[in-house]
Amino acid sequence: LMAAIAGYVDAPATLSAAFPPSSMHLAPGSVPVAPLRAVAMDENMAAAPVQTPATAKAARITAAPDAAITKGLPAMDIFVQYERSWSIQDALDQHAALAEQREVLLEIGKNRLRVRQSQLSCAEAEVQEAMHAASSVSAADAADARLVILLASRVRAAVRDVRMAARMKQTEQGIVSKHIAQADAEIEKSRLEMTAMKEVVDDKSLVAATDENQPTPLTPVDAAGVPLQQKFKYCTNCKVGGHGQRFCEYFLERPDWRTYPNQKWFADEKGNEYLCPLGKKLVDFADESHFSRIAMYLKGRAWLEEKTKVLELGLGLIPQTFI
């Protein structure tokens, strides 16, 4: 019987040789069923007469749609992605958020894999019960072709569910590993950014910005009295508005430019906060012109921007206007 069942799972035509029509002993009044014809019967009929409540429950679990199996579990989605930080505090906050996101994704992944493992265990238990039911059939029942077909169909359905559960677990493992790797990559970007910020902050070659009526600060020198040279060129986004951040992004595309973090400068009576480079240093570019070696705004730009200045430029050339 077991050889016949195994042959049915792998090749349905084996049942024709295992149970030829001449060897079947049917009960009085029963209708003979040809094995090859019985193979084509709907396998949904299989295992119903011989299932126990426990195996029926396991079969429902393994046969449930994938969406129902994982219903109620959070999705493995990346919500926080790395973005360029313009201050030390923003970089620290972003790194903490990315690290927390990785822990959440790791916990979600463990729960999803635990569900897949439970699904696989139930399917394996169903296979064992199906094989036990097939191996414990009596000699008299083994002569019943319909019962053999039902037992073989049950084994085949159980094996199919095991394969499906194993494949879904492997797929889930790949998804979890992919998202964890992506989260690690985002964290690595943030870590490299904080390392670069520490490097630029430790650069002692920068001097503090001064007003026009103040003396120019002395150039920093090393222990040997040699003036210190900047390792990189620095830009700071003081978030004044306009195209300042865009210019910083363009400068940072060059390999010899680095971000210099900003800090609070002062706040006016309306609560508006103004930023400046960390330590009020003079950097190569900042959208706050007082701290920038490169002027973002040209002197005299008002003559180009303010339309009222046109009257001063060409008062005698503008024709008289009548309304």
Side-chain angles (χ1 to χ4, degrees):
L1 174 63
M2 293 305 299
I5 292 177
Y8 175 75
V9 173
D10 296 331
T14 307
L15 284 179
S16 177
F19 297 98
S22 60
S23 64
M24 292 185 182
H25 302 281
L26 302 178
S30 60
V31 180
V33 180
L36 291 178
R37 180 183 177 186
V39 169
M41 295 172 59
D42 186 4
E43 64 180 18
N44 291 331
M45 299 171 55
V50 293
Q51 276 190 343
T52 63
T55 57
K57 182 178 180 180
R60 289 195 301 269
I61 293 176
T62 55
D66 179 66
I69 289 293
T70 57
K71 184 178 181 180
L73 292 176
M76 294 286 296
D77 293 329
I78 299 291
F79 295 103
V80 182
Q81 294 184 341
Y82 165 79
E83 294 182 359
R84 190 188 305 277
S85 301
W86 301 103
S87 68
I88 294 177
Q89 188 60 48
D90 290 345
L92 292 174
D93 293 342
Q94 178 172 241
H95 188 271
L98 291 173
E100 182 180 0
Q101 176 178 247
R102 185 189 185 281
E103 296 299 324
V104 172
L105 288 175
L106 188 60
E107 188 64 26
I108 293 175
K110 288 181 180 179
N111 292 335
R112 296 181 70 93
L113 290 177
R114 191 177 297 117
V115 170
R116 293 300 184 187
Q117 181 60 45
S118 300
Q119 182 183 11
L120 180 59
S121 299
C122 291
E124 291 173 347
E126 172 61 18
V127 169
Q128 294 177 358
E129 293 193 15
M131 295 299 294
H132 177 72
S135 61
S136 60
V137 68
S138 63
D141 293 335
D144 189 347
R146 182 178 180 85
L147 179 60
V148 171
I149 294 298
L150 293 178
L151 291 173
S153 298
R154 179 184 175 185
V155 172
R156 186 176 67 172
V159 171
R160 181 195 61 216
D161 291 342
V162 166
R163 291 175 178 172
M164 176 65 70
R167 184 164 59 250
M168 294 306 298
K169 181 186 176 183
Q170 184 178 6
T171 303
E172 194 72 47
Q173 180 66 56
I175 294 175
V176 171
S177 300
K178 176 183 176 181
H179 283 77
I180 295 299
Q182 184 178 353
D184 289 336
E186 299 296 322
I187 293 176
E188 181 63 15
K189 293 178 184 178
S190 178
R191 188 191 67 81
L192 293 176
E193 180 183 62
M194 292 192 298
T195 302
M197 278 193 178
K198 184 181 184 303
E199 184 179 0
V200 301
V201 169
D202 292 339
D203 191 347
K204 304 301 181 183
S205 63
L206 297 180
V207 298
T210 58
D211 296 331
E212 295 180 357
N213 55 357
Q214 293 180 347
T216 304
L218 298 177
T219 302
V221 296
D222 57 13
V226 179
L228 297 176
Q229 301 295 328
Q230 287 186 206
K231 298 179 180 179
F232 303 100
K233 295 180 180 179
Y234 303 117
C235 62
T236 301
N237 178 22
C238 297
K239 301 182 179 180
V240 174
H243 299 290
Q245 180 172 336
R246 177 178 296 179
F247 291 155
C248 288
E249 298 284 355
Y250 290 157
F251 282 131
L252 292 172
E253 292 180 2
R254 304 175 181 179
D256 57 339
W257 281 78
R258 295 291 185 273
T259 302
Y260 199 86
N262 60 33
Q263 69 171 33
K264 180 181 178 180
W265 185 15
F266 69 92
D268 59 17
E269 63 278 1
K270 296 183 180 179
N272 297 321
E273 189 175 279
Y274 297 87
L275 305 176
C276 69
L278 184 66
K280 300 182 180 180
K281 296 297 181 65
L282 183 66
V283 296
D284 295 283
F285 174 78
D287 50 356
E288 191 66 63
S289 57
H290 181 69
F291 303 95
S292 179
R293 291 192 180 98
I294 302 174
M296 178 177 173
Y297 301 104
L298 299 176
K299 292 183 178 180
R301 67 183 186 278
W303 293 95
L304 301 175
E305 296 177 354
E306 297 183 19
K307 295 182 179 180
T308 56
K309 296 290 184 180
V310 177
L311 298 176
E312 300 181 27
L313 286 173
L315 183 59
L317 302 176
I318 299 177
Q320 191 174 6
T321 302
F322 300 93
I323 298 178

